[in-house]
Amino acid sequence: GVWPVRGGRPGSQDYSDRELVQLIEWIESDTLLRTKEQLLDEAIQLLGFQRRGKKIVAAIEQAILAGRR
C-alpha cells in the first residue's frame, strides 16, 4: 500500500508526531524485521529528506519508540 501522507515537506516540524508514528507502523506493516537504523533510513528516504538532520532523526526515533509500545 501507499503511505497516506505525502513526503517532501521541508522540515521535521512539518510532520505531526501521529503522522510519523503512522509512517513507522506503515513501514513495519510488511512484517520484515528491521534494525532501528534501517527504519530510520527508510523513514528519512520516504519523507524525502536528503540528509539526516538532528531534528528529523530525533522525531523519527520518538515515533519508533511510540510505534513499538
Side-chain angles (χ1 to χ4, degrees):
V2 175
W3 184 49
V5 178
R6 290 177 67 104
R9 298 179 202 168
S12 60
Q13 69 278 4
D14 296 315
Y15 296 93
S16 71
D17 293 343
R18 183 73 201 125
E19 286 175 323
L20 294 176
V21 170
Q22 287 174 332
L23 172 62
I24 297 306
E25 290 171 347
W26 181 79
I27 292 170
E28 292 191 311
S29 68
D30 62 10
T31 69
L32 296 176
L33 290 178
R34 291 173 178 83
T35 65
K36 187 173 101 177
E37 282 301 305
Q38 289 169 321
L39 254 182
L40 195 54
D41 287 343
E42 198 164 337
I44 288 171
Q45 183 180 2
L46 283 167
L47 293 172
F49 290 101
Q50 300 301 312
R51 60 185 193 83
R52 290 172 62 133
K54 284 183 197 175
K55 288 181 182 176
I56 191 58
V57 168
I60 294 170
E61 285 179 340
Q62 279 299 112
I64 291 169
L65 289 173
R68 289 185 167 173
R69 280 194 190 125

